[in-house]
Amino acid sequence: MSTTSLPAPDRSPLLRDALLAADFTVDGLLDLLGAPAYAALARSETVPALRATRGGTPLETLVRLFLLQRPVPSERAGAVLPLADCLADGWLASDGDDVRATVDVRPYGGPEGQDWFIVSDLGCAVGGAGGIGSHDEGVVLGVGGASTTLAGITVRTPVARALDVGAGSGIQALHAAQYATAVTATDLNPRALAFTRLTLALSGAPAADLREGSLFGPVEGERYDLIVSNPPFVISPGARLTYRDGGMGGDDLCRALVQRAGEHLNPGGYAQFLANWQQVEGEEWQDRLRSWVPRGCDAWIIQREVQDVTQYAELWLRDSGDHRADPDAYAARYEAWLDEFESRKTKAVGFGWITLYKSGSDRPSIVAEEWPHPVEQPLGETVRAHFERQDHLRSHDDAALLAGRFKLADEVVQEQVGMPGAEDPEHVILRQNRGMRRATKVDTVGAGFAGACNGTLTAGQILDAIAQLLGEDPVVLRDRTPQSIRLLVEEGFLEPVEPIEPV
C-alpha cells in the first residue's frame, strides 16, 4: 500500500483562493485548452494539453503542476500559489529549482455551478497524466465515469444524515454535504479517508465524520436518510487492488452491501449503489438481484451493460496495466479470471444501478430491468419520482385508479408509424425526451387517453368519452384499461395529480 504522506488541509482556503483567482476551474480549463485538448486529457493523452500550456500564464502553470504533473520553476509557481504554505503543508515538493505536485488536484463542477476540487493520487484520475494502470493496492482514484454516474442518479432532497460507504477521494461525500445536515464517510483504506478530507476542505465544504472500516462495520446500529456507495465492485480472483476488487467471492460484496443497507435506512430513506453482478447459467439475473433486496424496501434495479467473461477479464486487466506486463504473467492472470468464472458457472457480468427506498410496505415494488439506452443525467429527480409513483399505484386499486386524475409528463411526444398515405398508422409511439427517454407502443385508446390527460378529468371520465367516440361499451373499456394505465404511470409517461380540494 502507498505510504506517501498527504498534504495537511489546515490552510486549504488559501490554496483554494489561489486556484480560483487563476480560473483553475472546469470552465477555465475548457477555455484554455479548447474542446479537443480537453477531451484528449480525459483519454489520458497529454500532448495536446502540453502544447496548449507553453505560455507561462498562471492557469497554464497550474495545469502543468496538478493535471499534467510536470515540474515547473519555483518562481512561476510562487507567482500563482502561496508557495511557502504549499511546500510546508505538502501540496508541493521541491525538486531543485523546480517544484512538483504531490497529489492530483482536479477542478470539478458542482450541480449548481459550484467550483469544486477533487484530490487523488498522482496519475489516478480519469485523464491523469499517466492514466490509472496502477498495481498499488492502496491507490486512491479521482473523478471517473462511475463516480459521476452515481452522483447523477442520486436523489437530491434535504436530509438530516447521509452516509458514503467506500468514500475514495470523497466525490459522493462532497455532493451529499450540499443537502445533508451531517455526512459520514467510511472506507477500508485510511488513505482514502485522508483524501476525502482534502477534497472537502479544498472545495470549501463542511467536514465529514470519517470512519475507517469495511462496508457498514464503522456505523453499526446507526441509521441514515441517504446511503450512497460506489464500491469496489469488480468480480475478480482475489483482492489484489483495494480501489476496485471487492475481496469477497463473486458478487458477494455487492450483495452484502445491498442486503445490509435496509437495516441502516430510516423510513422514507434511499440507498443508491453502482454494482456488478454475475449472470449464472440456469438463473435469471433479475431473480438473483431481487433476492438481494432487504425486507421493507422497494427497489429499482437497472442493468446498463453486460459483458461476457472474456471481455470483462480483459477490461480489468487493462485497467491495472497488466497488458503491458510480461506476456506470461498476463496470460496467467487471464487464466485465473476465467477459472474463477468457470467455477461459479458465470457466463457474463452485468453492470448497473441499484436504488432502494425504505417504504416499509409488505407489498414491495421491485423493478429489475435492462436499459442500455441513452438517458439524460442528472436522474435524481427521475429516481425519486419513480418511487413516488410506485407508492401511488400500490395504494390505489383499479376503482381508485379510474377515479384519479393524471397529466401527461413534460416533453412526452407522440409518433405515428405507418406506410405513407395510409389512412391509419400501424403503430402509435409515446416517447419521453427527458429522464430515462423511454418509448412505448400504445393502441388508439392508449394514445387518446394519454393525450386527454391534463389533470382536469378523471381517468374514468376520459375512458367514457373515448368509448362514446369509438362506439364501444364503456363498462368493457373501463375493465380492460387499468393495467395499461398502470404501465404508463409506472414508466413515467403519466403523473398522478392530487385531487382538487373543494373551496
Side-chain angles (χ1 to χ4, degrees):
M1 178 180 292
S2 176
T3 57
T4 306
S5 60
L6 295 180
D10 300 345
R11 286 178 284 198
S12 296
L14 293 176
L15 176 56
R16 174 178 172 79
D17 289 345
L19 298 178
L20 293 177
D23 202 18
F24 189 61
T25 64
V26 172
D27 290 342
L29 290 182
L30 188 57
D31 288 343
L32 171 67
L33 301 178
Y38 191 75
L41 191 60
R43 301 190 300 269
S44 296
E45 296 290 348
T46 59
V47 172
L50 283 168
R51 289 172 60 87
T53 56
R54 293 182 294 194
T57 68
L59 180 54
E60 290 169 340
T61 298
L62 294 177
V63 171
R64 289 203 163 221
L65 262 178
F66 291 116
L67 298 190
L68 303 179
Q69 289 140 30
R70 299 300 176 95
V72 302
S74 299
E75 184 178 353
R76 279 179 56 186
V80 186
L81 299 168
L83 186 58
D85 291 336
C86 288
L87 288 168
D89 291 346
W91 294 96
L92 301 177
S94 179
D95 191 10
D97 292 332
D98 296 335
V99 293
R100 56 179 174 81
T102 61
V103 290
D104 184 297
V105 177
R106 193 155 300 259
Y108 179 72
E112 297 178 359
Q114 301 99 324
D115 289 316
W116 292 339
F117 301 97
I118 308 301
V119 189
S120 64
D121 271 312
L122 292 173
C124 292
V126 171
I132 296 176
S134 174
H135 294 275
D136 186 343
E137 67 173 20
V139 74
V140 177
L141 304 188
V143 182
S147 52
T148 55
T149 293
L150 179 58
I153 68 172
T154 301
V155 176
R156 303 293 181 194
T157 54
V159 296
R161 305 188 72 204
L163 171 65
D164 180 7
V165 179
S169 55
I171 299 164
Q172 309 308 323
L174 176 59
H175 278 277
Q178 310 308 305
Y179 55 88
T181 303
V183 176
T184 300
T186 70
D187 204 291
L188 182 64
N189 182 2
R191 186 175 177 83
L193 295 177
F195 272 116
T196 294
R197 181 181 293 108
L198 292 172
T199 289
L200 294 174
L202 195 57
S203 298
D209 179 6
L210 306 177
R211 304 187 195 181
E212 182 181 344
S214 178
L215 300 181
F216 294 106
V219 294
E220 286 294 344
E222 298 184 33
R223 294 193 175 202
Y224 298 85
D225 306 297
L226 174 70
I227 299 171
V228 292
S229 182
N230 175 19
F233 52 65
V234 175
I235 300 170
S236 62
R240 187 163 59 113
L241 301 174
T242 304
Y243 72 84
R244 70 169 203 192
D245 299 330
M248 298 184 185
D251 52 19
D252 283 354
L253 182 137
C254 291
R255 176 184 55 78
L257 188 63
V258 174
Q259 287 182 334
R260 293 197 57 199
E263 66 194 72
H264 292 282
L265 275 179
N266 284 323
Y270 292 91
Q272 299 187 260
F273 315 103
L274 302 186
N276 276 181
W277 46 80
Q278 299 168 139
Q279 294 201 353
V280 179
E281 293 178 11
E283 180 182 29
E284 295 294 332
W285 73 267
Q286 294 94 334
D287 293 337
R288 182 181 190 85
L289 272 292
R290 288 188 185 103
S291 72
W292 294 3
V293 179
R295 185 185 301 274
C297 288
D298 292 359
W300 190 13
I301 302 161
I302 302 175
Q303 182 166 271
R304 294 288 288 161
E305 184 179 357
V306 181
Q307 291 185 318
D308 67 46
V309 293
T310 59
Q311 291 174 312
Y312 190 81
E314 291 162 13
L315 168 68
W316 294 109
L317 286 167
R318 286 182 175 276
D319 170 81
S320 55
D322 287 292
H323 64 300
R324 296 193 293 266
D326 174 68
D328 291 337
Y330 173 80
R333 290 197 185 279
Y334 201 150
E335 286 274 6
W337 284 71
L338 297 184
D339 288 343
E340 173 79 4
F341 287 131
E342 185 176 354
S343 70
R344 296 180 178 276
K345 298 182 178 180
T346 301
K347 59 184 180 179
V349 177
F351 167 82
W353 316 330
I354 300 175
T355 299
L356 305 178
Y357 169 64
K358 190 67 173 289
S359 66
S361 174
D362 57 2
R363 294 186 297 119
S365 164
I366 301 177
V367 177
E369 61 177 326
E370 190 159 7
W371 192 256
H373 311 294
V375 299
E376 183 191 49
Q377 286 275 36
L379 277 169
E381 179 57 25
T382 298
V383 172
R384 186 202 61 76
H386 167 87
F387 289 100
E388 189 175 78
R389 293 193 305 271
Q390 299 304 313
D391 263 343
H392 181 89
L393 293 172
R394 180 167 43 214
S395 62
H396 287 69
D397 60 17
D398 286 355
L401 201 69
L402 293 174
R405 293 175 170 83
F406 301 90
K407 70 180 183 70
L408 195 64
D410 292 338
E411 298 200 38
V412 171
V413 298
Q414 176 178 303
E415 300 174 359
Q416 296 185 352
V417 181
M419 293 296 294
E423 185 174 343
D424 296 310
E426 294 177 19
H427 305 296
V428 177
I429 306 293
L430 297 182
R431 186 179 301 278
Q432 301 168 350
N433 287 324
R434 303 294 300 273
M436 294 296 289
R437 292 179 171 167
R438 297 184 188 275
T440 188
K441 185 166 66 174
V442 294
D443 58 14
T444 303
V445 172
F449 180 85
C453 283
N454 60 10
T456 58
L457 297 176
T458 68
Q461 288 170 333
I462 293 173
L463 290 178
D464 290 345
I466 291 174
Q468 185 174 5
L469 285 172
L470 299 179
E472 292 197 26
D473 185 337
V475 175
V476 173
L477 195 59
R478 278 175 173 254
D479 285 344
R480 68 178 172 88
T481 307
Q483 189 57 40
S484 299
I485 297 175
R486 288 185 182 277
L487 183 60
L488 290 174
V489 173
E490 180 176 303
E491 294 190 341
F493 291 93
L494 296 179
E495 299 173 351
V497 175
E498 292 296 323
I500 301 171
E501 297 293 336
V503 179

